[in-house]
Amino acid sequence: MEQTLVASLSELKQALKDDPRVKRLNEREEKLLLDPEVVELIKKKNLLEDDYETLLSYTKPSEEASERAQKALYEAKLALDTHPLVKEYNDAYLEVRDLYLEIDDILFGEFRSKTLSSEAK
């Protein structure tokens, strides 16, 4: 049984690696991380995120400073999220996420506890 399980898992791993959705996601990710403009947007967002977290770690930051940092972070995140390469990546990611969720449901769905909404069906 263990050999069969190992063989099946190996087949699943290879099938996922060969899946066009996963390949597309990997291509988009590589493109994304090689683009200097996207890399700068990521760095800027991360820096502003760190600044905002640092500000919030103080006992009581001023409301003005908090709003200013929050707005700067929002604008940096928006610039990143609306970049065409990031949008392509996110679309590809959603497809792969849905694939993984479907596999998860097949493998583990029967072991999950039922929620009230699923019991009503």
Side-chain angles (χ1 to χ4, degrees):
M1 164 131 168
E2 189 175 317
Q3 288 177 334
T4 305
L5 179 60
V6 170
S8 295
L9 289 173
S10 181
E11 286 178 34
L12 176 61
K13 180 181 176 183
Q14 189 61 44
L16 289 172
K17 184 178 176 184
D18 293 338
D19 187 281
R21 294 165 288 193
V22 173
K23 285 182 175 183
R24 189 170 33 258
L25 176 63
N26 291 336
E27 290 167 2
R28 298 294 189 275
E29 181 177 24
E30 188 175 325
K31 229 171 129 176
L32 191 75
L33 296 176
L34 292 174
D35 186 275
E37 186 179 345
V38 172
V39 170
E40 276 306 307
L41 289 171
I42 292 170
K43 286 179 184 177
K44 182 178 181 180
K45 190 243 349 149
N46 289 344
L47 180 65
L48 290 169
E49 197 170 56
D50 290 344
D51 290 348
Y52 185 64
E53 287 177 11
T54 301
L55 178 69
L56 293 180
S57 69
Y58 291 112
T59 53
K60 182 76 172 148
S62 75
E63 191 172 320
E64 182 183 328
S66 179
E67 286 177 7
R68 188 173 44 245
Q70 190 175 23
K71 182 178 181 196
L73 177 57
Y74 169 81
E75 289 171 353
K77 178 86 169 92
L78 182 63
L80 178 62
D81 288 344
T82 57
H83 190 282
L85 290 177
V86 175
K87 288 174 80 171
E88 285 179 21
Y89 172 84
N90 286 337
D91 291 344
Y93 172 81
L94 290 175
E95 287 185 35
V96 172
R97 184 203 61 189
D98 290 347
L99 171 66
Y100 287 166
L101 287 173
E102 189 174 335
I103 292 168
D104 182 78
D105 282 344
I106 292 167
L107 294 175
F108 305 109
E110 68 181 84
F111 301 109
R112 290 195 187 97
S113 61
K114 303 293 183 220
T115 62
L116 290 175
S117 61
S118 65
E119 289 175 0
K121 292 179 182 178

